[in-house]
Amino acid sequence: MSKDSKTKFIGNLLLDYGSGGQASHRLINDLFLHYFDNPILRQMNDAAELHLSGHLAISTDSYTVTPLEFKGGNIGSLAVHGTVNDVAMLGSKVRYLSTAFILEEGLDMQLLERIVKSMAEAAKEAEVLIVTGDTKVVPKGAVDKIFINTTGLGEIISNNPPSGSKAQAGDVVLISGTMGDHGLTIMAARENLPLGAALKSDSAPLNLIIEELIQNIPEIHVLRDPTRGGLATTLNEITMQSSVVCKIEESLIPVLNDVKQGCSILGLDPLYLANEGKLICILPKQYQDKALEIMHKHKASQNACYIGEIFAPGNIELKRQRTLNAKAGQVLLETPLGGTRLLSMLEGEQLPRIC
Amino acid sequence: MSKDSKTKFIGNLLLDYGSGGQASHRLINDLFLHYFDNPILRQMNDAAELHLSGHLAISTDSYTVTPLEFKGGNIGSLAVHGTVNDVAMLGSKVRYLSTAFILEEGLDMQLLERIVKSMAEAAKEAEVLIVTGDTKVVPKGAVDKIFINTTGLGEIISNNPPSGSKAQAGDVVLISGTMGDHGLTIMAARENLPLGAALKSDSAPLNLIIEELIQNIPEIHVLRDPTRGGLATTLNEITMQSSVVCKIEESLIPVLNDVKQGCSILGLDPLYLANEGKLICILPKQYQDKALEIMHKHKASQNACYIGEIFAPGNIELKRQRTLNAKAGQVLLETPLGGTRLLSMLEGEQLPRIC
């Protein structure tokens, strides 16, 4: 329960709270405005008025994660981090979020308050404002407790915005930290598996790190967060969009021991597990040191490292003087034992409701 | 089923379609990109890049209407109209929409295709682009078939944007047509009541009408669409935000005979029923004729009319030489028999999942 003495929320959510009538107004004023308060939101018109200029980035995501609360966050903080990160990846300064709640009749009001409070704290940390919102309450059984949509808006501050289609031969591939933490945390919570003490979701805002990268490095080709489908799927998307080949070294990819152990028990591959606070940065080799230096200053990216490079399609040199004729769109993984395997895109669903 | 010979969608939706993997990519390419196609959406990055400038309006709404298809529209067209209208009400030219789908495993793919096609058609009619999106597929039972979020962005073209807080004594209150059509259509469909032949949802885009109003009338104080809670609730919101009194005449409010009859059978008041293609326009009396002239040219507002006026709090003159000491925030309804009643805001839920 919130420590805030102003809380008026006990018991369970009633359908009336989503009616658009007086009960809705009380929910909006006492919960959402209370926690998200800012001058733009307080206008309380059908739409909010913003001041933005130039090239903008927009992204939307619905969050349906289960369980709603997990080690390292909850659906509220995740809904802020996920969208803030997607908007930032276009080389933008993230400014505003909209948020829309779909709530199930009977929802525990204290749970809702904890989630809303986490959203407010996550927005504050990421230096973004929640400027407009919507609340629907649906009858019991029509939704599983709570789904949250956030849509984010940012101002593109890069003169040459990063894009999945801009990876070039000669570029290096950096990642900002360990892979698979979020995916395994959610899976372990759902299956009631005992977690290692260090294991928690990596959910975090990356936008301020990205702003610093953009401001200090003249040429960043790709920024992407490896969420659903993990590192393997995201690298496949990039190599296809850019018509290039990516080669990464398995031994260089940081994975927590707890994640390795959990994956080996469950038969999972950490390269396909979702991350919610990590980024892939692809840029010319000359900027590698500067990019890593910047990332190492921030807690969320203190384990940033080089994992591989981008090549033109054709013959790629491998360890032990072997070569491989790789096609555009392929991602090659060199294993510690000197083998090479093709990392394909995740075909189907590894774990539903991961975000 | 769609007549489009390219359709690849038969059977039922699988969880895999929401995985972020190859199955997701096929759904996005073959369904969403196929119908919503435009150069911005086709960038296919985590976020879309837009070109906008100046003051912007943003609004978000989640649509949970049941049934999904109804006379006059479906959840897809409604999700476009509802958000386009909210953004337009701030005096803006609506430009872009994001859309996020939450789909239930097992959903009929042909139903999904009909909904997506309707969204595309509604966006085209409203002259807006769907520029970014998200798809989540959740296991059977976690959502009731399909929920859609749309977030809209527009450029504010009014030098003095309308707001619920700008109604002034002396202003006239206009509405763009009949009240209650959407609410009664949904209720009748859900209760399997026989509908009058003329009854269907009024769901429609109002943005092009609003653009013409803004461009031709120098001073429009309030634009608002009377959706959830209906005309009565929306007028209460406006009078409270503006600290004024509103007096309307019941005999002047257009209500279809089918709606009147349905309401009398069900014990409902059409002034509290949702509308999805109507607007309230409050402006100085001198611009009334021009505003009605513009609205009468558009099919969606051809029955626009005057229904009342705005007063300062204090003694208000009523029919038959009576007066009433009205407080700020009150909405007075003069009845055809000469009585006056206070129209309060809807307290709770008249009908859940109306939009």
Side-chain angles (χ1 to χ4, degrees):
Chain A
M1 185 179 164
S2 163
K3 286 173 191 152
D4 190 323
S5 61
K6 284 189 191 169
T7 185
K8 296 173 183 177
F9 295 101
I10 51 170
N12 299 90
L13 185 73
L14 305 176
L15 267 182
D16 283 352
Y17 283 118
S19 62
Q22 288 192 17
S24 287
H25 281 250
R26 283 196 297 271
L27 184 74
I28 291 167
N29 284 319
D30 296 344
L31 182 63
F32 299 116
L33 269 182
H34 175 66
Y35 283 108
F36 298 156
D37 194 29
N38 64 66
I40 300 173
L41 183 64
R42 219 179 302 127
Q43 294 165 359
M44 296 297 290
N45 284 308
D46 283 335
E49 188 180 343
L50 306 177
H51 300 256
L52 280 170
S53 59
H55 293 197
L56 305 182
I58 182 172
S59 186
T60 191
D61 254 307
S62 293
Y63 298 84
T64 64
V65 66
T66 182
L68 294 170
E69 299 179 293
F70 44 83
K71 260 182 89 176
N74 63 34
I75 191 173
S77 52
L78 189 66
V80 171
H81 296 154
T83 297
V84 161
N85 292 349
D86 278 346
V87 174
M89 297 298 155
L90 215 64
S92 75
K93 179 176 175 61
V94 191
R95 297 283 307 276
Y96 301 116
L97 287 180
S98 68
T99 183
F101 293 84
I102 302 174
L103 307 173
E104 186 183 23
E105 180 187 17
L107 184 70
D108 176 352
M109 291 297 285
Q110 291 181 14
L111 171 64
L112 178 60
E113 187 172 12
R114 285 197 299 277
I115 289 167
V116 169
K117 198 177 173 203
S118 287
M119 287 188 78
E121 288 165 355
K124 194 174 175 193
E125 185 192 353
E127 302 180 10
V128 299
L129 295 180
I130 295 171
V131 291
T132 190
D134 175 53
T135 311
K136 294 287 186 325
V137 183
V138 297
K140 202 159 178 60
V143 72
D144 187 10
K145 295 188 186 77
I146 173 167
F147 291 166
I148 303 177
N149 175 279
T150 50
T151 303
L153 268 186
E155 289 168 313
I156 296 177
I157 54 173
S158 170
N159 294 324
N160 186 10
S163 164
S165 63
K166 291 184 179 171
Q168 291 179 16
D171 285 352
V172 293
V173 180
L174 314 179
I175 58 173
S176 64
T178 54
M179 291 288 110
D181 305 18
H182 179 75
L184 195 72
T185 301
I186 296 299
M187 186 165 286
R190 233 183 280 172
E191 306 295 334
N192 283 316
L193 296 175
L195 288 178
L199 183 61
K200 62 176 188 176
S201 169
D202 62 346
S203 180
L206 302 170
N207 57 317
L208 302 178
I209 302 169
I210 289 173
E211 275 180 47
E212 200 173 334
L213 288 170
I214 296 287
Q215 279 157 359
N216 289 283
I217 296 175
E219 213 179 327
I220 296 177
H221 292 156
V222 182
L223 288 172
R224 204 46 96 73
D225 50 346
T227 54
R228 282 189 289 179
L231 179 67
T233 300
T234 309
L235 286 178
N236 268 281
E237 288 170 359
I238 295 167
T239 54
M240 282 191 292
Q241 276 183 275
S242 297
S243 296
V244 294
V245 176
C246 175
K247 187 182 76 167
I248 58 176
E249 285 198 46
E250 192 170 11
S251 63
L252 299 179
I253 301 168
V255 179
L256 289 176
N257 276 332
D258 285 336
V259 173
K260 281 184 190 158
Q261 286 167 12
C263 281
S264 81
I265 292 169
L266 294 166
L268 296 171
D269 184 339
L271 304 190
Y272 288 91
L273 286 177
N275 309 280
E276 291 292 345
K278 298 290 158 48
L279 62 85
I280 299 169
C281 176
I282 300 178
L283 77 181
K285 196 172 185 59
Q286 67 192 99
Y287 302 119
Q288 173 180 326
D289 292 346
K290 183 70 187 168
L292 289 174
E293 180 196 321
I294 290 168
M295 286 198 271
H296 290 158
K297 288 193 299 179
H298 295 264
K299 188 160 174 267
S301 53
Q302 62 188 357
N303 299 312
C305 60
Y306 164 96
I307 61 164
E309 297 193 14
I310 300 295
F311 297 88
N315 283 322
I316 311 280
E317 287 183 24
L318 304 174
K319 285 177 184 166
R320 303 180 184 176
Q321 282 112 41
R322 293 174 302 131
T323 62
L324 186 146
N325 190 355
K327 295 191 194 104
Q330 288 186 327
V331 179
L332 310 177
L333 181 76
E334 290 206 288
T335 67
L337 298 175
T340 304
R341 67 181 171 103
L342 205 59
L343 265 191
S344 59
M345 184 176 271
L346 188 65
E347 166 56 33
E349 186 59 273
Q350 191 177 41
L351 183 64
R353 305 185 64 185
I354 193 78
C355 57
Chain B
M1 185 176 167
S2 164
K3 285 172 195 158
D4 190 323
S5 61
K6 284 187 190 169
T7 184
K8 296 173 184 177
F9 296 101
I10 50 170
N12 299 90
L13 186 72
L14 305 176
L15 266 182
D16 283 353
Y17 283 118
S19 62
Q22 289 192 19
S24 287
H25 282 250
R26 284 196 296 272
L27 183 73
I28 290 167
N29 285 320
D30 297 345
L31 182 62
F32 298 117
L33 269 182
H34 175 66
Y35 283 109
F36 297 156
D37 194 29
N38 64 67
I40 300 174
L41 183 63
R42 221 179 300 128
Q43 295 165 358
M44 295 297 289
N45 283 309
D46 284 335
E49 188 181 342
L50 307 177
H51 300 255
L52 279 169
S53 59
H55 292 198
L56 305 182
I58 183 172
S59 186
T60 192
D61 254 307
S62 293
Y63 297 84
T64 65
V65 66
T66 182
L68 294 169
E69 299 180 293
F70 45 81
K71 261 183 87 176
N74 62 34
I75 191 172
S77 52
L78 189 66
V80 171
H81 296 154
T83 296
V84 161
N85 292 347
D86 278 347
V87 174
M89 297 299 154
L90 216 62
S92 75
K93 179 175 175 62
V94 190
R95 298 283 307 277
Y96 302 116
L97 287 181
S98 68
T99 182
F101 292 84
I102 302 175
L103 306 174
E104 186 183 23
E105 179 187 15
L107 184 71
D108 176 352
M109 291 297 285
Q110 292 181 14
L111 170 64
L112 178 60
E113 188 173 11
R114 286 197 300 276
I115 289 168
V116 169
K117 198 176 172 204
S118 287
M119 285 188 80
E121 289 165 354
K124 193 172 175 194
E125 186 192 352
E127 301 179 11
V128 299
L129 295 180
I130 294 171
V131 291
T132 191
D134 175 54
T135 310
K136 294 287 185 325
V137 183
V138 296
K140 203 160 176 61
V143 72
D144 187 9
K145 296 189 186 76
I146 174 168
F147 292 165
I148 302 176
N149 175 278
T150 50
T151 303
L153 268 186
E155 290 168 313
I156 295 177
I157 54 172
S158 169
N159 293 325
N160 186 10
S163 164
S165 62
K166 291 183 178 170
Q168 292 178 15
D171 284 353
V172 293
V173 180
L174 313 180
I175 59 175
S176 65
T178 55
M179 290 290 109
D181 304 19
H182 179 74
L184 196 72
T185 301
I186 297 300
M187 186 166 286
R190 231 183 281 171
E191 306 293 334
N192 284 315
L193 296 176
L195 288 178
L199 184 61
K200 63 176 187 177
S201 169
D202 62 346
S203 181
L206 301 171
N207 57 317
L208 303 178
I209 301 169
I210 288 173
E211 275 181 45
E212 199 173 334
L213 288 171
I214 296 286
Q215 279 157 357
N216 289 283
I217 297 175
E219 211 180 330
I220 296 177
H221 292 156
V222 182
L223 287 172
R224 203 46 96 72
D225 51 344
T227 54
R228 281 190 290 178
L231 179 67
T233 299
T234 309
L235 286 178
N236 268 280
E237 287 170 1
I238 295 166
T239 55
M240 282 190 293
Q241 278 183 274
S242 298
S243 297
V244 294
V245 176
C246 175
K247 187 182 75 170
I248 58 176
E249 284 198 47
E250 191 169 12
S251 62
L252 298 179
I253 301 169
V255 179
L256 288 177
N257 275 332
D258 284 336
V259 173
K260 280 183 192 161
Q261 286 166 12
C263 281
S264 81
I265 293 168
L266 295 166
L268 296 171
D269 184 338
L271 303 190
Y272 288 90
L273 286 177
N275 309 280
E276 290 291 343
K278 298 290 158 51
L279 63 84
I280 299 169
C281 176
I282 300 178
L283 77 181
K285 194 171 187 59
Q286 67 192 101
Y287 301 119
Q288 172 180 327
D289 291 346
K290 183 71 186 166
L292 289 174
E293 181 196 320
I294 290 169
M295 287 199 268
H296 290 158
K297 288 193 299 180
H298 296 266
K299 187 159 173 269
S301 52
Q302 62 189 353
N303 297 315
C305 61
Y306 163 96
I307 60 164
E309 298 193 14
I310 301 296
F311 297 88
N315 283 322
I316 311 279
E317 286 185 25
L318 304 175
K319 285 177 184 165
R320 303 184 186 173
Q321 280 111 41
R322 290 174 305 131
T323 63
L324 186 145
N325 191 354
K327 294 191 196 104
Q330 289 187 327
V331 179
L332 311 177
L333 181 76
E334 290 205 288
T335 67
L337 297 176
T340 304
R341 69 182 170 101
L342 205 60
L343 265 191
S344 58
M345 184 175 271
L346 188 64
E347 166 57 33
E349 186 60 273
Q350 191 177 40
L351 184 64
R353 304 184 65 186
I354 194 80
C355 59

